[in-house]
Amino acid sequence: MTAAAPRSHALDALRGGAVALMILVNNPGSWQHLFTPLAHAPWHGVTPTDLVFPFFLFAVGASLAFTLPSMGRGFWPKVAQRAALLFAIGLFLNASPFVRWNAEGELVLRHWENLRIMGVLQRIALAYFFAAVIVHGLGARAALRLAVALLLGYWGA
């Protein structure tokens, strides 16, 4: 059994701030009178709303530095379990409510053909899985070089 990874209070604060910002962005009060920083920016520009998802991805990536060394031989089961759990929670949240009231006041089942498979948590789960596999397989320096190459390739495209 390996020792538990140390907690990073700064990373916990970043996660908490990202969650608080996400709650504010998703529940702004009135959608008819939306405060501009709580709306996504047009194609050019950035608002605090546009930073929520990158903050979560940064927190996931930074936490890999603490969790990967403590995984030892149980890397594959732990990473697969965490990614699958995040993906499943995201699906559950996207599927709920399973029943709803229609305009006539009748209780109806959810239309499953409208289920959003790739929600935010599902994307975070996939990013976590692939980032963990890349860092585990290539090492930190090669993963950094790959990240730079991917960013430059994306910028060039």
Side-chain angles (χ1 to χ4, degrees), residues 63-80:
S63 68
L64 285 175
F66 297 105
T67 59
L68 284 184
S70 66
M71 285 188 185
R73 292 184 200 171
F75 169 80
W76 288 105
K78 288 178 184 175
V79 167

Side-chain angles (χ1 to χ4, degrees), residues 8-120:
S8 168
H9 298 297
L11 191 55
D12 289 340
L14 176 67
R15 280 191 202 110
V19 168
L21 183 59
M22 179 189 66
I23 291 170
L24 180 64
V25 163
N26 289 341
N27 302 292
S30 171
W31 290 101
Q32 287 76 26
H33 306 286
L34 189 61
F35 186 50
T36 305
L38 298 181
H40 284 288
W43 183 253
H44 295 289
V46 66
T47 67
T49 300
D50 301 316
L51 299 176
V52 173
F53 188 69
F55 283 166
F56 277 116
L57 287 183
F58 179 82
V60 167
S63 68
L64 285 175
F66 297 105
T67 59
L68 284 184
S70 66
M71 285 188 185
R73 292 184 200 171
F75 169 80
W76 288 105
K78 288 178 184 175
V79 167
Q81 181 183 19
R82 287 180 183 176
L85 187 60
L86 266 176
F87 200 93
I89 291 170
L91 273 179
F92 177 79
L93 290 174
N94 287 350
S96 65
F98 301 106
V99 294
R100 62 178 177 80
W101 298 99
N102 66 10
E104 290 80 35
E106 301 166 325
L107 195 61
V108 295
L109 290 174
R110 176 177 174 76
H111 295 285
W112 293 102
E113 63 271 7
N114 297 330
L115 176 65
R116 184 175 174 203
I117 302 293
M118 289 307 298
V120 172

